[in-house]
Amino acid sequence: MKVLVAVKRVVDYNVKVRVKADNSGVDLANVKMSMNPFCEIAVEEAVRLKEKGVATEVIVVTVGPATAQEQLRTALALGADRAVLIESAEELGSLAIAKLLKAVVDKEQPQLVILGKQAIDSDNNQTGQMLAALTGYAQGTFASKVELAGDTLNVTREIDGGLQTVALTLPAIVTTDLRLNEPRYASLPNIMKAKKKPLESFTPDALGVSTASTSKTIKVQAPATRSAGVKVKSVAELVDKLKNEAKVI
C-alpha cells in the first residue's frame, strides 16, 4: 500500500510571531521555520504503518518555496521514502493547496492520504476535506486511532459525545488529531541518509493547476494587549467594577 503524506512549513510553535509594520501579514524574516506539528503526527502514523508491514512506500509532499525542502528532508529522516515539492512562492489558500495535492494524488495513485487536521498558522482545517471532495475518496477527520482491516480502514474520531469509529473503503483520506501518536525524533544517521533520498520538484503550471484565488488578505493585526488584573477587597467593590468599569452587568 502506497501512503502519501502532506506536510506544511510553518513558523515554529515556540516562536512568538510578529505582525509586519504595514499589517500585510506575519513577519517571517529571520524566523525559525518547522514542520507543522499536526503534519509531524501524520508522518509518524505513515511510518508506523510501514513498520507494521501495512504500507510499502511513504511519500511526503509539500507546497511552498524552495526552502520547504528542509521540512521534506526532516520527513525523510523520520522514515519517509521519497519527497515531492510543489514549488510556489505565493501564499496559497486551502482550495489551491487541495487542487495541487489532487494532481499529486492522480500522479502517484496512493491508497491512503494522511494530512494534519490543520496548520498552526492559518488554522483553517479545510485542506483534507477539500481534497476528499475533489478526489471523491472516503474521509476520516480528526483521527485519534487508525487500524487497517483488509480493504477497510477503521478510523476512531473524537467527538463531543465521546468516540466515533468510521469504516472507510480504500482509497481514503485521513486527517490527524493530537492524540493519534507521539512523533519520534530523527536520529543523526537517518538525517544523513535523508540527504540521499529522492526529492522531486514541480511547479503548479507543470501540474496543470491554476492557483488563482478568489479571496485576499486585507489586514493582519496582533491581538489586543491584555490589561493587568486588579485585586478587590470586597464583593461590593467587585460588583461596582463589573458594573461601572467593565460594564458587563
Side-chain angles (χ1 to χ4, degrees), residues 3-230:
V3 180
L4 180 71
V5 184
V7 302
K8 186 177 183 183
R9 175 182 172 90
V10 298
V11 176
D12 188 89
Y13 67 92
N14 288 310
V15 174
K16 185 177 181 180
V17 296
R18 302 185 307 274
V19 176
K20 292 180 180 177
D22 61 358
N23 294 109
S24 62
V26 173
D27 187 1
L28 300 180
N30 301 314
V31 172
K32 182 184 177 183
M33 307 294 284
S34 300
M35 190 191 304
N36 179 50
F38 287 102
C39 298
E40 290 181 351
I41 294 171
V43 172
E44 175 66 24
E45 192 63 23
V47 172
R48 290 188 184 189
L49 289 173
K50 184 183 175 185
E51 290 173 343
K52 291 177 183 177
V54 173
T56 54
E57 185 180 27
V58 176
I59 308 160
V60 287
V61 57
T62 193
V63 181
T67 48
Q69 290 187 37
E70 179 185 352
Q71 281 63 50
L72 290 176
R73 292 295 179 192
T74 298
L76 292 172
L78 292 173
D81 298 297
R82 57 188 176 93
V84 176
L85 169 64
I86 305 173
E87 192 170 340
S88 175
E90 300 177 49
E91 187 175 340
L92 302 178
S94 300
L95 182 57
I97 299 294
K99 288 179 178 178
L100 291 168
L101 291 178
K102 181 185 182 297
V104 177
V105 168
D106 291 342
K107 180 177 180 293
E108 296 289 348
Q109 293 294 307
Q111 286 71 53
L112 178 61
V113 183
I114 310 179
L115 308 90
K117 71 171 184 177
Q118 65 197 79
I120 61 172
D121 52 0
S122 57
D123 224 26
N124 286 329
N125 181 16
Q126 295 175 330
T127 305
Q129 293 88 328
M130 288 178 171
L131 180 59
L134 292 172
T135 57
Y137 286 8
Q139 63 174 308
T141 55
F142 320 132
S144 60
K145 187 177 181 181
V146 174
E147 290 181 321
L148 186 69
D151 293 331
T152 302
L153 191 72
N154 295 318
V155 177
T156 301
R157 310 172 63 245
E158 295 187 5
I159 59 174
D160 288 344
L163 298 176
Q164 177 191 65
T165 301
V166 294
L168 310 179
T169 302
L170 297 177
I173 291 171
V174 172
T175 67
T176 62
D177 210 343
L178 278 174
R179 278 167 285 280
L180 178 59
N181 60 52
E182 186 171 337
R184 70 192 69 188
Y185 291 99
S187 65
L188 183 57
N190 287 338
I191 292 173
M192 300 305 293
K193 290 177 184 176
K195 294 180 179 180
K196 297 181 180 180
K197 290 185 178 180
L199 192 158
E200 293 181 277
S201 182
F202 300 96
T203 62
D205 290 340
L207 294 172
V209 177
S210 171
T211 57
S213 178
T214 55
S215 63
K216 64 178 182 178
T217 301
I218 298 173
K219 186 179 182 182
V220 176
Q221 59 188 117
T225 304
R226 293 180 62 180
S227 57
V230 296

